[in-house]
Amino acid sequence: MAMRVRIFNGTPRKNGNTAALTRRIAEEFGDRADVKEFFLYDMNIKGCRNCGICQGPKGDGTCSIKDDMTALYHEFLAADVVIIASPIYMWNFTACTKAFLDRLHCLFRDDGSLNLMLGKRIAVATTMGDDIYVAASAVNAVEFFCQYFECKYCGAIAIPYASKEQIARPLYRETIKDFVTSLENR
Ligand SMILES: Cc1cc2nc3c(=O)[nH]c(=O)nc-3n(C[C@H](O)[C@H](O)[C@H](O)COP(=O)(O)O)c2cc1C
């Protein structure tokens, strides 16, 4: 069965830079993978409200908030590779990307009795107006996330001074190819 790649993209611009990057990533996988992309900004995804239910005795890996995350949990869990995609806003991911990440907490119980994220392969794809250092905190957060939830951090691709032309440059064509190859070989 083809590798299932699920891209969770937090850009508000479907014709912008981050979508151009994820399109190139999907093209690079070609028919070797089943790639699906979800644009989080268009979806109804509330932030975690820390109700605590998922961490209490009734915690069963589901979230008490019933919104568009319900379908995304299935996609996340079924994925062989998850790509978190977002432009950098204020040295961080966009708000809907952060809400998505926060809501994954219910897949894990802090008492160690449940971890539906164990071994999940997760990578990051991001674009920014400035140089790549502006993505450091966001990328670092995903690395810490993977460490804590025992996922497998699979690297990041970051396009600085982003524009469609920049993403199409041979340098980034090669970088995207290497990124995809490394995801296929993990
Ligand atoms: C509200 C806002 C905040 C931003 N903050 C940063 C930033 O902190 N660092 C940076 O390099 N670029 C920043 N940018 C620029 C975007 O990251 C950049 O243009 C990105 O490629 C846009 O991606 P998109 O086309 O997918 O929207 C910001 C843009 C907006 C709209």
Side-chain angles (χ1 to χ4, degrees):
M1 194 168 61
M3 187 168 88
R4 279 163 306 210
V5 178
R6 297 295 179 258
I7 303 173
F8 299 99
N9 193 336
T11 182
R13 301 200 308 158
K14 286 208 200 69
N15 288 315
N17 300 327
T18 315
L21 172 60
T22 54
R23 204 156 40 242
R24 280 290 304 113
I25 291 170
E27 278 166 16
E28 202 55 56
F29 274 109
D31 55 14
R32 297 187 309 283
D34 159 30
V35 182
K36 272 197 208 163
E37 182 165 26
F38 301 92
F39 286 95
L40 307 175
Y41 188 85
D42 295 342
M43 304 180 86
N44 175 26
I45 301 174
K46 294 202 168 56
C48 172
R49 58 186 171 149
N50 200 5
C51 66
I53 294 174
C54 63
Q55 301 306 312
K58 289 193 176 143
D60 60 358
T62 63
C63 181
S64 66
I65 305 174
K66 301 304 171 203
D67 60 10
D68 290 345
M69 266 311 277
T70 308
L72 295 189
Y73 287 124
H74 293 293
E75 297 292 344
F76 179 90
L77 292 172
D80 298 304
V81 172
V82 166
I83 299 178
I84 307 293
S86 175
I88 295 299
Y89 277 15
M90 307 302 176
W91 301 271
N92 215 322
F93 291 141
T94 56
C96 58
T97 314
K98 177 66 165 54
F100 173 82
L101 288 169
D102 291 354
R103 291 284 298 284
L104 295 177
H105 192 214
C106 70
L107 302 175
F108 173 94
R109 280 174 58 137
D110 289 324
D111 65 6
S113 61
L114 179 82
N115 185 4
L116 301 177
M117 291 188 274
L118 184 71
K120 184 65 69 187
R121 293 190 282 167
I122 301 183
V124 175
T126 179
T127 73
M128 60 227 60
D130 205 335
D131 208 343
I132 56 168
Y133 72 90
V134 301
S137 302
V139 173
N140 226 352
V142 174
E143 287 191 65
F144 280 126
F145 177 106
C146 289
Q147 229 172 64
Y148 186 80
F149 294 115
E150 297 179 77
C151 304
K152 190 166 182 199
Y153 176 69
C154 294
I157 185 163
I159 309 286
Y161 313 111
S163 66
K164 306 275 173 49
E165 295 72 33
Q166 173 83 328
I167 293 162
R169 280 176 60 198
L171 166 67
Y172 292 112
R173 214 177 306 139
E174 284 306 308
T175 312
I176 292 165
K177 205 172 175 174
D178 291 347
F179 177 74
V180 166
T181 305
S182 82
L183 293 178
E184 285 181 309
N185 293 333
R186 274 171 191 269

